[in-house]
Amino acid sequence: MSLNRKLISYGFTDLEKSRRFLDAPELQGLNDDDLFAGLSAAANPDLALQSFVRLLAVSRKAASAAFSDDGRRRALFRLLGASEALGEFLMRHPEHLDVVRPGPASPAVVTPGELRAALLRSVDADPDEDNPVARVGGVDAYKSLRVAYRRHLTDLAVRDLGHCSPVDYLPVVARELADLAAAALEASLAVARAELGEVYEPDVLARVKLAVIAMGKCGARELNYISDVDVVYVVEGEDLDDTTTTRIGTGLASGMSRGVYSPGPEPALWEVDANLRPEGKDGQLVRTLQSHVSYYERWAKTWEFQALLKARAAAGDPQLGRRYEEAIAPFVWASSQREGFVEAVRAMRRRVTDNIPRDEEARQLKLGPGGLRDVEFTVQLLQLVHGRLDESLRVRDTVAAIAALSSAGYIGRSDALDLDDAYRYLRVLEHRIQLMQMRRTHLMPEDESALRALARSSEGCMVTVRPSAQSLHEKWQRTRRLVKRLHEAIFYRPLLNNAATLQPEDVQLTAEAAQARLAALGYQDPRGAMRHIEALTGGLRRRALLQKQLLPILLAWFADGVDPDAGLLGFRRLSESLGESHWYLGMLRDSNAAAERLCAVLSSSRFITDLLEVSPESTQWLGSDAALVPETFDEQWQEIQSKMSRHPEPGEAIRLIRLIRRRELLRIAIADSSNLLSQAEVGAALADTDRAAVLGALHVAEKQVFSQEEQLTDVVVMAMGRQGGREITYGSDADVIYVHRPFPGVDESAAQKQAETIVARLAALLTQPCKPPVLAERVLEIDAALRPEGKQGAMVRSIDSYREYYRRWSLVWEAQALLRARPLAGDDDLAAEFLDLIGPVRYPQELGESDVREIRRIKARVEAERLPRGADPSRHLKLGRGALSDVEWLVQLLQLRHAHSIPALRVQSTLAALEVIEAEGLLPTEDVATLRESWNLATRIRAANVIWTGRGSDLLPSPRRDLEAVARWCGYGPGSGSELEEDYLRATRRSRAVFERHFYGY
């Protein structure tokens, strides 16, 4: 066999470089067969060969001694092929090669006491003392400590890499790594005491006790090979003032960190991170026990109690450490009852995936979907929910917690085994990746040779065939998918089990445990939620069996919404309405996107839920984006004409017209919730729906009137306000004015009376109850207050009357109102004639200063008188400072001034007018952007108020829950209610400044 073929068969990848190292003079005199036998055990034989040659160059005697023994040789090459960093440590300190030795099949466990004693002796401190003091200090002490630490780390790595089953050995490795870190902290603290002894009197220093509380993985005794060590410090001074105690405690904590992390001849070990202390980076580095307790009683956030779940006295004064553990335990196990626990849980879930660079997400072992954090989140949340009453769950490390949850009946046995296996496997991969360079990383390598080496090192010493990179990737992906499935199975499925359908491996929670779990998910009425679940899954019908299969993930999706209780209730009502409908069950089973959309709207929108409950067949739209495209006006009008032709009776016809409008409102709202429509498209679609309904109602009214008397006049309905601008939201009134034109030769008073009858009938048809009623309808209110002379004027006028009125008595506010006039329904020729009539009125050749003053006066009066009593002007979406009214009045003032000379300004839409204003330079670009932002956000919030509550409101909500729901609809992420509030207040504040500058001239 050629050398190249031999190298390939042994797993080498860089053949040229490896051939050069094989020719190195350091290898002369060594048996080639022994060399390749040793290299066969290395996960990365290229690296193992290079490190061995360098080791021979440094200390041939020590390296040759390890090579000459078969067992030591294989252990050495396993280490050198798995960790370049530990290989370099042995090159710096070849005298420690004696730890590289073969171990028994079941390696002995090194106790925490043995590790503590060894590291304390490295700095010449007495291990028998509770608060030992080193007899050496400075750089020499740091070096001795770090070398001793790495000696034990190398010993552990040799045992780990030599174990036949790394996943079984993982808990031992993780515990020993945490105990080794705690021993290093203890030894470094002893050095810090010695160094402070040069500053303080010995008796003063001896009266200060410092306890080092390990958090995170170190606290749980499940540490990685390389990781920050999270700590919290507790200080106590006997008969010393607080200032002195704090100063000495801070000196001890800082000195301890310096011992393990400062630069030096022997590289730093890892960073000591104290950011989990009360108040984080802004808080005191050290605190007394009473100060800690006071903080947790009064100011701590819920996530801080989750962090305390792992807290353990690891170094320093043991009695003080134990008192700290005893003092904080009640806070941890009562945290699930705290106000805001659900929001904190959701924030914890978001932190799983937040801030992961897009290019890293697919490679993440820890933070990506199906990663380690998913396992830890699931386990810790179950501990917090159920550990309040069940003390058997009060354990720190993840592996023990999984076992405790299974033993106590909170996780099924098979699920617990799967979760434990997945967690151990992911941790082994994490360990092997970090072991290579001793760098903090949680990313799977991309290089194929690195993947092959990882596959080999993670499989155990008994594997003789080198696994491929592909097999590793496939196993990792299977594990990720398993973890994602297990989160659903473990957390939600036990809620569905009942005694009649339990399988031997299933979990049946007590009623109290099930309700606690639902409460942790955000259900405000856990008992009611359990009733809904029982109703949905009870019995043996096909629907119940399918819903039992689907509900775990549906419950999770409901929990992601703002109101999970409403979501579950709405789902129950829908399911009861649709019964065994094959399309409904098939959609839930086969369309993940449709089911998720359904859960999202049911748990976030009372408006949509109410409409779905009365028209459950519309649920099928959720499975198709095409079905959610709003129908055009022409399509709706064609359908309405067909209905009217088949149902000539006015009551039947108008009911069908209103049902069509209700259906289209629902379609638009669902499309909006699915981000299929822009805000402008929503406004246009809603306007088309209202237009079709008004036109249909006008035809019904005219047919009803003309069936009793001869037609004397034509009528047209002109849209005004936001209806005219096609910028309405859900539940907007229809601002209109009515115009009629008597037929030639008819009695004008009779024509006027007929027109009044028609418009009165029109309004009644759209607003009065139908028989049978149109359930959950958002009635289209008709508002004609913008007619000449306002509410005191005639409801409908002839076109000649309008002509005379606008010529003789028209006020400037009426010209302003006409800026948005647009034909809505009725005779097209009459509409065109009316538009020609009002053109010179709404687009005057010149706007006098007196008119400008009058507009300003009216606006000031509106602000002073029309704002509801007690309303906060900064939160009113319509009349508030910088809100809709400010933007629209400024735009309309500019239209009155310039639309005569700039025809492009003759538009009804505020946003369209702003585009022209910007293009024509009537306002600076940055001011237009400010106005547009404020108007868009206020409009969106108004729509969200209706969607969330089913009722209209012109106020930015203050209750946190309402604000959260509105923020979600406005496109903000979970937990962003305060962000929306800040954005709105900032946007309207800036908008008001622009308005005052250009409207009032301030």
Side-chain angles (χ1 to χ4, degrees), residues 88 464 652 754:
E88 290 177 349
T464 56
E652 290 182 12
Q754 186 179 78

Side-chain angles (χ1 to χ4, degrees), residues 593 597 601 622 625 628 668-677 969:
R597 276 180 181 171
V601 297
L622 293 161
D625 287 355
L628 290 172
I668 295 165
I670 295 175
D672 193 3
S673 73
S674 303
N675 296 317
L676 299 178
L677 299 175
W969 188 263

Side-chain angles (χ1 to χ4, degrees), residues 37-54:
L39 289 169
S40 68
N44 185 338
D46 298 81
L47 175 62
L49 175 61
Q50 294 162 30
S51 296
F52 181 58
V53 171
R54 293 170 61 197

Side-chain angles (χ1 to χ4, degrees), residues 356-395:
I356 304 176
R358 188 176 297 274
D359 60 336
E360 292 184 1
E361 185 173 351
R363 299 169 54 208
Q364 269 281 352
L365 275 170
K366 181 178 180 180
L367 302 179
L372 287 163
R373 188 62 63 82
D374 275 2
V375 179
E376 293 162 354
F377 170 81
T378 301
V379 171
Q380 290 171 24
L381 185 54
L382 288 174
Q383 284 182 276
L384 290 172
V385 170
H386 300 299
R388 181 173 66 91
L389 301 175
D390 191 339
E391 294 187 6
S392 70
L393 305 183
R394 299 181 184 182
V395 295

Side-chain angles (χ1 to χ4, degrees), residues 206-431:
R207 280 185 278 161
V208 176
K209 311 296 183 187
L210 182 74
V212 183
I213 310 300
M215 310 285 279
K217 282 187 165 60
C218 187
R221 297 183 73 202
E222 53 184 11
L223 197 60
N224 297 332
Y225 271 99
I226 184 69
S227 173
D228 290 352
V229 173
D230 297 312
V231 299
V232 168
Y233 299 109
V234 189
V235 71
E236 182 178 75
E238 183 181 344
D239 298 327
L240 293 174
D241 61 83
D242 288 346
T243 302
T244 302
T245 300
T246 301
R247 186 184 300 121
I248 294 175
T250 302
L252 290 171
S254 301
M256 185 194 76
S257 297
R258 200 163 49 244
V260 296
Y261 193 59
S262 63
E266 180 65 19
L269 301 180
W270 21 256
E271 184 176 2
V272 179
D273 188 343
N275 289 335
L276 290 177
R277 65 186 183 270
E279 300 180 79
K281 293 179 180 179
D282 298 325
Q284 290 177 265
L285 184 62
V286 301
R287 286 176 181 255
T288 63
L289 178 56
Q290 184 54 49
S291 177
H292 277 280
V293 171
S294 296
Y295 174 81
Y296 293 128
E297 284 177 338
R298 302 174 62 183
W299 296 296
K301 297 181 175 63
T302 300
W303 70 263
E304 293 179 270
F305 297 112
Q306 185 201 14
L308 289 173
L309 184 64
K310 307 289 189 182
R312 173 178 65 92
D317 188 79
Q319 288 78 25
L320 180 57
R322 278 194 294 273
R323 283 160 45 209
Y324 175 87
E325 290 179 2
E326 293 166 359
I328 60 97
F331 295 111
V332 174
W333 301 113
S335 62
S336 64
Q337 303 299 299
R338 285 170 56 91
E339 183 179 355
F341 177 76
V342 172
E343 289 74 14
V345 166
R346 290 172 175 168
M348 286 183 250
R349 290 193 67 186
R350 289 195 298 275
R351 284 199 293 270
V352 171
T353 55
D354 280 355
N355 303 318
I356 304 176
R358 188 176 297 274
D359 60 336
E360 292 184 1
E361 185 173 351
R363 299 169 54 208
Q364 269 281 352
L365 275 170
K366 181 178 180 180
L367 302 179
L372 287 163
R373 188 62 63 82
D374 275 2
V375 179
E376 293 162 354
F377 170 81
T378 301
V379 171
Q380 290 171 24
L381 185 54
L382 288 174
Q383 284 182 276
L384 290 172
V385 170
H386 300 299
R388 181 173 66 91
L389 301 175
D390 191 339
E391 294 187 6
S392 70
L393 305 183
R394 299 181 184 182
V395 295
R396 295 187 179 93
D397 70 281
T398 305
V399 170
I402 293 172
L405 287 164
S406 177
S407 177
Y410 300 102
I411 298 179
R413 290 191 298 274
S414 60
D415 286 342
L417 287 172
D418 286 342
L419 189 68
D420 183 75
D421 288 345
Y423 179 74
R424 290 174 186 242
Y425 176 67
L426 292 173
R427 285 296 305 274
V428 167
L429 292 180
E430 183 183 44
H431 278 192

Side-chain angles (χ1 to χ4, degrees), residues 88 932 947:
E88 290 177 349
R932 185 184 293 117
I947 289 291

